[in-house]
Amino acid sequence: MTFKRRNGGRFKHGRGRTTPVHCFNCCRLVPKDKAVKRFVVRNMLDQASARDVAENSTVYNAGFPLPKLYMKQRYCVACAIHSRIVRGRSREDRRIRYSSRRAAVKGTLKAMGKQ
């Protein structure tokens, strides 16, 4: 039978079983190697609130940065496709492997001929 992906949609290679993790969106249990992972760095406060805190604080007014929120988000494949974190690709494009999101954007720009 033909197969769609070289890795079968997982990154298991030689391991019998991987620990399940919860999807960030729907809390479905997904194998850790199959989950779509994104590392998000976000400001804890929006721009207006951060300005208010910086004006009224002695620490953050002196040049110290406000703390950031670091989250590793893991999605099941269904939620990742639904919320457009990943997209379905054609058979030729499925062979292209990206190491990071920045490289993926650069690769699509190069493919479109804009760079």
Side-chain angles (χ1 to χ4, degrees), residues 38 84-87 98-107:
R38 293 291 178 263
R84 296 187 183 136
I85 294 164
V86 292
R87 306 237 168 142
Y98 298 113
S99 59
S100 67
R101 184 103 174 131
R102 186 178 299 150
V105 170
K106 193 174 183 180

Side-chain angles (χ1 to χ4, degrees), residues 45 47-64 66:
L45 301 171
Q47 204 81 35
S49 301
R51 196 177 324 110
D52 291 342
V53 168
E55 287 172 359
N56 295 323
S57 173
T58 57
V59 175
Y60 298 121
N61 197 11
F64 284 99
L66 284 167

Side-chain angles (χ1 to χ4, degrees), residues 60-80:
Y60 298 121
N61 197 11
F64 284 99
L66 284 167
K68 290 185 180 278
L69 194 64
Y70 299 94
M71 292 185 295
K72 184 157 188 181
Q73 298 175 345
R74 295 181 179 96
Y75 295 92
C76 63
V77 175
C79 288

